[in-house]
């Protein structure tokens, strides 16, 4: 860091020393390298905005890197055999990045869903009806069942302190037991710092957690099959 945006034409000896921060930086790097630390490099004047922004970015990334050491990624109920290319070894994830993987059974989801009161389920359904247009093919029973399953999923994430959930939504047992997949996204969950991924994809769900932490914004799991450029759909 230099204390000037432009070096002075003349300076006394103390001002010269004050301007020689780059010398100390190079001397310090020798010690840092021997300590095994990999430094980041930021150059600029205190009067410029860019160095501050870069330092802030590095600090934010370092915080997320630290948070990963205590993160918990849930998988419900198991990895997706149809998407075997996305398989992530949970022990490698833990040893190299930090998050632990918590397996959640369909029975645990059913118990959580059954514990949600009818009043709370009905309130959630009414909230959905007030904000969204419901497709005519969706029956009241469909909506209630989906709401119950989704609120149960939210309860499990909160009760077990799950930071990110990889939902294996194509699991046949999930469909058989629950009658659907937890396909609704409760607003409280969307506004929280917890993320939900699909296809039992632990890697993508971990990436969603990282992106959410870096940006402080909601993150969505999605893939684009095709699109209409003219209609923007």
């Amino acid at each position: 860091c230099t204390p000037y945006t432009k070096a002075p034409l003349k300076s006394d000896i103390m001002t010269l020393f004050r301007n020689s921060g780059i010398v100390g930086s190079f001397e310090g790097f020798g010690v840092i390298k021997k300590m095994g630390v990999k430094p980041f490099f930021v150059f600029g004047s205190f009067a410029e905005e860019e160095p501050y922004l870069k330092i802030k970015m590095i600090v934010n990334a370092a915080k997320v890197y630290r948070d990963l050491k205590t993160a918990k990624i849930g998988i419900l109920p198991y990895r997706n055999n149809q998407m075997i290319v996305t398989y992530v070894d949970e022990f490698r994830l833990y040893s190299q990045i930090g998050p632990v993987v918590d397996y959640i059974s369909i029975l645990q989801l059913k118990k959580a869903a059954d514990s949600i009161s009818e009043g709370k389920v009905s309130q959630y359904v009414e909230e959905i009806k007030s904000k969204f247009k419901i497709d005519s093919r969706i029956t009241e029973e469909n909506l209630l069942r989906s709401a119950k399953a989704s609120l149960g999923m939210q309860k499990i994430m909160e009760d077990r302190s799950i930071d990110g959930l990889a939902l294996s939504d194509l699991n046949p047992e999930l469909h058989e037991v629950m009658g659907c997949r937890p396909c609704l996204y409760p607003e409280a969950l969307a506004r929280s710092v917890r993320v939900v991924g699909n296809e039992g994809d632990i890697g993508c769900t971990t990436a969603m957690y990282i992106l959410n932490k870096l940006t402080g914004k909601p993150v969505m799991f999605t893939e684009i099959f095709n699109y209409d450029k003219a209609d923007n759909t």
Side-chain angles (χ1 to χ4, degrees):
C1 174
T2 171
Y4 299 100
T5 52
K6 186 177 180 181
L9 293 175
K10 294 182 178 181
S11 63
D12 56 36
I13 190 67
M14 293 310 295
T15 305
L16 176 67
F17 288 151
R18 187 166 178 259
N19 264 323
S20 64
I22 196 166
V23 177
S25 298
F26 276 109
E27 290 172 343
F29 286 149
V31 178
I32 290 172
K33 187 175 181 181
K34 287 184 179 295
M35 291 172 64
V37 176
K38 294 181 179 179
F40 290 91
F41 299 93
V42 181
F43 300 94
S45 164
F46 77 98
E48 297 170 338
E49 186 180 11
E50 189 177 348
Y52 293 99
L53 293 175
K54 190 168 183 181
I55 290 169
K56 185 179 179 181
M57 191 191 313
I58 293 167
V59 171
N60 192 22
K63 182 181 182 300
V64 175
Y65 181 76
R66 184 193 65 189
D67 290 345
L68 279 164
K69 304 299 181 184
T70 55
K72 185 188 287 187
I73 303 296
I75 181 165
L76 197 171
Y78 193 57
R79 64 174 179 262
N80 188 336
N81 290 327
Q82 289 86 4
M83 303 291 177
I84 197 66
V85 292
T86 62
Y87 169 68
V88 172
D89 182 88
E90 60 265 40
F91 301 109
R92 185 180 174 199
L93 181 74
Y94 172 71
S95 62
Q96 293 188 355
I97 302 179
V100 295
V101 175
D102 186 11
Y103 283 91
I104 302 160
S105 71
I106 293 169
L107 177 61
Q108 288 168 324
L109 173 63
K110 188 176 187 309
K111 285 183 175 180
D114 289 343
S115 72
I116 306 296
S117 68
E118 289 185 12
K120 192 170 183 180
V121 175
S122 298
Q123 182 183 356
Y124 181 38
V125 169
E126 290 306 314
E127 184 183 333
I128 291 169
K129 287 180 178 178
S130 69
K131 293 181 178 178
F132 304 100
K133 182 181 178 182
I134 309 299
D135 191 292
S136 60
R137 293 169 293 181
I138 298 174
T139 65
E140 188 72 14
E141 183 187 354
N142 291 152
L143 202 53
L144 286 167
R145 186 182 293 157
S146 298
K148 195 171 185 178
S150 299
L151 290 172
M153 184 183 73
Q154 177 187 334
K155 185 178 189 311
I156 283 181
M157 292 185 70
E158 291 172 348
D159 290 350
R160 297 173 70 147
S161 299
I162 301 291
D163 297 297
L165 180 69
L167 174 66
S168 190
D169 51 315
L170 299 179
N171 184 277
E173 186 184 3
L174 174 69
H175 296 182
E176 184 180 343
V177 173
M178 302 302 296
C180 65
R181 57 183 176 180
C183 54
L184 299 174
Y185 203 25
E187 186 174 351
L189 190 59
R191 291 184 180 278
S192 73
V193 292
R194 308 180 198 279
V195 296
V196 180
N198 291 324
E199 299 177 351
D201 193 338
I202 299 175
C204 185
T205 304
T206 303
M208 291 172 68
Y209 169 83
I210 293 171
L211 192 57
N212 176 258
K213 285 278 187 178
L214 285 174
T215 63
K217 304 291 183 183
V219 181
M220 182 180 178
F221 182 109
T222 186
E223 61 183 330
I224 300 169
F225 284 96
N226 54 33
Y227 68 98
D228 188 315
K229 189 175 179 181
D231 290 343
N232 192 29
T233 57

